[in-house]
Amino acid sequence: MSGRPVPPSRVAVTGAGILCAIADSLETFAAALYSGRSGIGVRSVEATGGTVLSADLTGFDFPTAVAARAALPEELRRVALRVSGRAPLAVRAAVTVALQAWEAAELHRVPVAGERIGVVVGGHNLAGAYTERLRPRYDASPVYLPGRFALHMLDTDHVGMVSQILGITGEGFTVGGASASGNVALINACRLLAAGEVDVCLVIGALADLSAMERQAFVNLGAMAGARGTSDPGSRARPFDADREGFVPGEAAACLVLESAESVRRRGVRPLGGVAGYALRLDGNSLADPDAAGEARAMAEALRRAGLNPADVDYVNSHGTGSRLGDETEVAALHKVFGSDIGRPWVNSTKGLLGHTLWAAGVVEAVATLVQLRDGFVHPNANLEHPIDAACRFVGTRAQRASLRVAMSNAFGFGGFNTSVVLTAAEPATESA
């Protein structure tokens, strides 16, 4: 640490939920991150008879996931099953992580009025695979297309279902920013709190349930790993390694409960951490190629808003997808921001363990960052054998214990979306006299 006191976070994080290829709860996520467990495997493609690399949810059962929230009122769990039990996978995943985060924030025990709670969902084009699966039924007989498809095909279905189940009647909406969507949602939730529109806001990173066509589009663009086949899948996601070949898609959803400092004091709950600063900056570019100057602007602005200097940052959870150009560009941006301090903050990429979770990535990786701040470690960089930059302090292939107070979480998206969020550790609990 620089010795400089960390300013109080403007927004507290009082709850978190996660569902991904390596975990189905916050604590199993923390353990999987520390151990460096990979969730990357192989998926069969019915249309071609081939296989693709993918980090999929395995064994996810919605009724079981709801039942696991035993601390929540029975009526709330019953409503969740009734409302979302037959919803598309992405919606069921969103409800699952929202219930986890709601329980962790103790909103069932010390409630907040529904009109003072908001929900922001990060993600777009969320019904691709769901639509693809229904197409044969439509082709066979259009009248048998489910009437609820008119609702499920809309991204806003996530907002509607979560708000109905939890009784949220404040503001709510979806936002998109390609792979930066999760951070865009987090930033907009912070703005709602700053404006006084809500006291509590759920931020959900929505699961990207990709259709076969959507997956193939990434392959054709040259962004996705797998051109060398699908053997040894656990070694194929290689962010910042000289032998990287692209990203591996991952299925995940995550939720954060953000809360104003006054609401935290009023409810008497203990935060998991805080959001000290954030920034969203565009490149003015509609293409997929990243820009180091734009990424650096976002990071520098997030630090400025937090009232911090680069030397105050202990850890960077990078965007780090494993793409050839993307990783090189982010390293160049880190050099622009940190300068002579480039070797100070630890740097890793969660995507090497659970794949690129696309629209959910910003929220998923904010959860990963908060867990590492809380537990005092940095997780491994999967398969990082030949780092592309000797100056960056990349975590190796084993977790490291670390004293962390300030972290930066980056997310960048096609179309020139650059986002960065500064997260801080919770203040140590004080003993009563």
Side-chain angles (χ1 to χ4, degrees):
M1 293 293 297
S2 66
R4 181 180 178 186
V6 178
S9 296
R10 299 172 183 176
V11 173
V13 180
T14 54
I18 183 74
L19 181 65
C20 63
I22 62 173
D24 59 2
S25 71
L26 195 65
E27 298 315 318
T28 57
F29 190 43
L33 289 174
Y34 188 80
S35 69
R37 185 160 67 86
S38 172
I40 295 171
V42 174
R43 168 187 287 209
S44 299
V45 181
E46 185 177 344
T48 63
T51 57
V52 294
L53 297 167
S54 192
D56 294 339
L57 294 180
T58 55
F60 171 58
D61 178 72
F62 184 61
T64 301
V66 173
R69 308 273 61 83
L72 295 178
E74 182 180 355
E75 176 62 14
L76 175 55
R77 287 179 276 133
R78 188 189 66 78
V79 169
L81 290 173
R82 177 176 58 80
V83 171
S84 301
R86 300 181 68 182
L89 171 64
V91 174
R92 283 180 280 129
V95 171
T96 296
V97 296
L99 291 175
Q100 287 183 30
W102 190 269
E103 180 182 338
E106 299 186 66
L107 284 162
H108 61 295
R109 187 180 66 83
V110 191
V112 174
E115 63 267 23
R116 298 301 302 165
I117 306 176
V119 57
V120 182
V121 174
H124 44 65
N125 305 84
L126 300 176
Y130 173 70
T131 301
E132 185 176 66
R133 287 189 287 268
L134 282 178
R135 184 75 201 201
R137 185 187 300 188
Y138 172 81
D139 288 341
S141 181
V143 297
Y144 287 111
L145 186 70
R148 288 191 68 89
F149 178 66
L151 299 172
H152 292 328
M153 71 180 183
L154 302 176
D155 294 343
T156 48
D157 195 37
H158 290 64
V159 176
M161 289 212 173
V162 169
S163 64
Q164 180 179 353
I165 292 164
L166 296 175
I168 296 172
T169 56
E171 289 201 18
F173 46 85
T174 63
V175 294
S179 296
S181 293
N183 268 7
V184 175
L186 198 157
I187 289 167
N188 275 276
C190 287
R191 289 172 176 163
L192 284 179
L193 288 162
E197 297 294 337
V198 295
D199 299 321
V200 173
C201 194
L202 275 67
V203 183
I204 296 173
L207 183 146
D209 189 17
L210 297 176
S211 68
M213 184 182 295
E214 288 166 330
R215 284 176 179 265
Q216 189 62 46
F218 284 122
V219 171
N220 292 356
L221 189 65
M224 193 178 287
R228 306 173 193 173
T230 57
S231 61
D232 194 15
S235 70
R236 305 298 290 284
R238 311 181 70 86
F240 301 113
D241 190 81
D243 195 35
R244 65 198 184 281
E245 58 177 302
F247 77 82
V248 175
E251 293 181 338
C255 180
L256 291 174
V257 175
L258 304 188
E259 191 162 352
S260 70
E262 175 56 33
S263 181
V264 170
R265 285 192 294 270
R266 187 166 56 244
R267 295 203 308 123
V269 294
R270 177 164 168 72
L272 173 64
V275 182
Y278 53 80
L280 164 60
R281 291 291 180 267
L282 298 176
D283 286 334
N285 175 18
S286 65
L287 301 177
D289 50 308
D291 178 70
E295 294 178 6
R297 280 197 304 273
M299 286 186 266
E301 176 62 15
L303 285 171
R304 186 194 69 78
R305 286 175 180 264
L308 297 170
N309 296 315
D312 296 309
V313 178
D314 303 306
Y315 162 56
V316 178
N317 187 297
S318 70
H319 185 61
T321 64
S323 74
R324 302 298 302 181
L325 181 58
D327 286 5
E328 290 177 1
T329 302
E330 187 169 9
V331 165
L334 289 170
H335 274 276
K336 287 178 180 289
V337 172
F338 289 96
S340 61
D341 288 319
I342 187 65
R344 186 182 179 285
W346 290 101
V347 180
N348 63 16
S349 171
T350 305
K351 295 178 180 70
L353 300 174
L354 50 93
H356 186 355
T357 58
L358 297 167
W359 335 136
V363 185
V364 168
E365 291 161 22
V367 174
T369 301
L370 287 162
V371 162
Q372 291 170 89
L373 286 168
R374 182 195 69 180
D375 294 349
F377 75 93
V378 283
H379 72 65
N381 272 304
N383 307 308
L384 184 57
E385 298 171 354
H386 304 289
I388 61 174
D389 187 274
C392 283
R393 192 185 186 188
F394 292 117
V395 184
T397 55
R398 290 179 178 272
Q400 297 289 327
R401 286 292 175 186
S403 177
L404 309 174
R405 290 191 67 199
V406 177
M408 175 180 288
S409 184
N410 292 334
F412 311 123
F414 288 172
F417 289 89
N418 303 303
T419 67
S420 187
V421 177
V422 177
L423 301 166
T424 55
E427 290 299 319
T430 56
E431 304 229 354
S432 57

